[in-house]
Amino acid sequence: MNVSIEVIMGGFIELYRLDKAKIRENLYPKISDTGLPEVFVAGIDKNFGNFHSFLNHQNTISKVSYEKILAKLQQENYTLENQEFTMLFEWFTWYYQNDHQEDEKIFAHHGFISIWHLTTRYEVPLLFSVAATGVEEFYIPLLDNAPKLTIDSILSSDELLLMVDYLILLSFKAAVFKESPDVEEMRKSFNIAQFEPHINLHISTEKHLDTYLQNTDYLYHDEMKHLLDGGYEYIPDIMMNIKENLDGYQGPVYLDHHN
């Protein structure tokens, strides 16, 4: 699988879920306003200070429709495309930077709910390459009706949860293989018992680990080596935080890249 996640040394990726009601109530009035933002950064080209002008300026690349976004956000059950989310988020974070200053409460007030952030050195490829490939190559073929992951387009909360669970269990099996003294503590902390009914998840993660051990040049060598060299000790904690912060959310999950 070729997941279009750019890995940048030293950067991170923030995962967001959307609060549609807050976007309609609090963000929509700002993006539909043709005046300048109430918090405006001095020195920025006022020709594209509002969202409409910003899109016009960016449209040589983005091709995102201002009218289409406005129409979507007035609907009850809308779905933003990745590029639409990116344009909304980039404009908001840039032109309101003096206002929000990376403040999660202000982001959430406007409908962007942070789930977690992943560093791009190991965490991003472990989830979006190792776990995603494992799900596609080892887990999905065991199912009667084999779906395909759609993370090259829009990542769904169900797909994210599946990859998170897969990586938790793969990490646990790496700890067992390495005979970690913390295996029993991990078993309790990460509630490994929850996976007992999910036989296919067990089979697929075991096959994944066995495949790597038989051919260490296969399946993301550096990332799997990192997992076995001790990554299994902290990766499940991160995955558990993602599960907790999803908090039952059903819908698209969006990614914001930071250098």
Side-chain angles (χ1 to χ4, degrees), residues 226-241:
H226 177 75
L227 191 68
L228 285 160
D229 284 348
Y232 59 77
E233 295 177 340
Y234 75 91
I235 289 296
D237 281 315
I238 295 171
M239 297 302 108
M240 293 294 286
N241 284 325

Side-chain angles (χ1 to χ4, degrees), residues 37 60 75 113 141 144 188 208 235-236 254:
T60 54
Q75 299 170 10
I113 315 297
D144 292 333
K188 294 176 183 177
H208 190 149
I235 289 296
Y254 298 94

Side-chain angles (χ1 to χ4, degrees), residues 39-94:
V39 180
F40 191 75
V41 181
I44 290 178
D45 187 349
K46 293 180 174 56
N47 289 326
F48 55 101
N50 57 52
F51 184 60
H52 181 249
S53 299
F54 172 77
L55 274 187
N56 285 341
H57 182 267
Q58 297 289 81
N59 259 349
T60 54
I61 301 172
S62 70
K63 305 300 182 185
V64 171
S65 166
Y66 175 75
E67 290 75 17
K68 185 177 179 181
I69 288 181
L70 289 188
K72 275 189 175 184
L73 298 189
Q74 295 176 72
Q75 299 170 10
E76 188 68 25
N77 294 309
Y78 63 85
T79 298
L80 292 176
E81 299 298 326
N82 277 323
Q83 194 67 8
E84 292 171 333
F85 165 80
T86 298
M87 290 297 101
L88 275 172
F89 194 81
E90 284 186 356
W91 179 78
F92 176 81
T93 55
W94 180 252

Side-chain angles (χ1 to χ4, degrees), residues 197-259:
H198 304 286
I199 303 301
N200 289 337
L201 205 57
H202 277 282
I203 293 172
S204 58
T205 49
E206 287 170 5
K207 187 174 181 182
H208 190 149
L209 183 58
D210 288 344
T211 301
Y212 168 75
L213 294 172
Q214 291 166 21
N215 179 7
T216 56
D217 290 329
Y218 183 57
L219 288 175
Y220 301 98
H221 166 81
D222 290 344
E223 290 78 15
M224 285 296 293
K225 183 178 184 299
H226 177 75
L227 191 68
L228 285 160
D229 284 348
Y232 59 77
E233 295 177 340
Y234 75 91
I235 289 296
D237 281 315
I238 295 171
M239 297 302 108
M240 293 294 286
N241 284 325
I242 291 174
K243 290 185 70 166
E244 180 180 343
N245 292 335
L246 273 170
D247 193 27
Y249 170 78
Q250 290 285 312
V253 174
Y254 298 94
L255 282 64
D256 179 49
H257 299 240
H258 294 256
N259 294 337

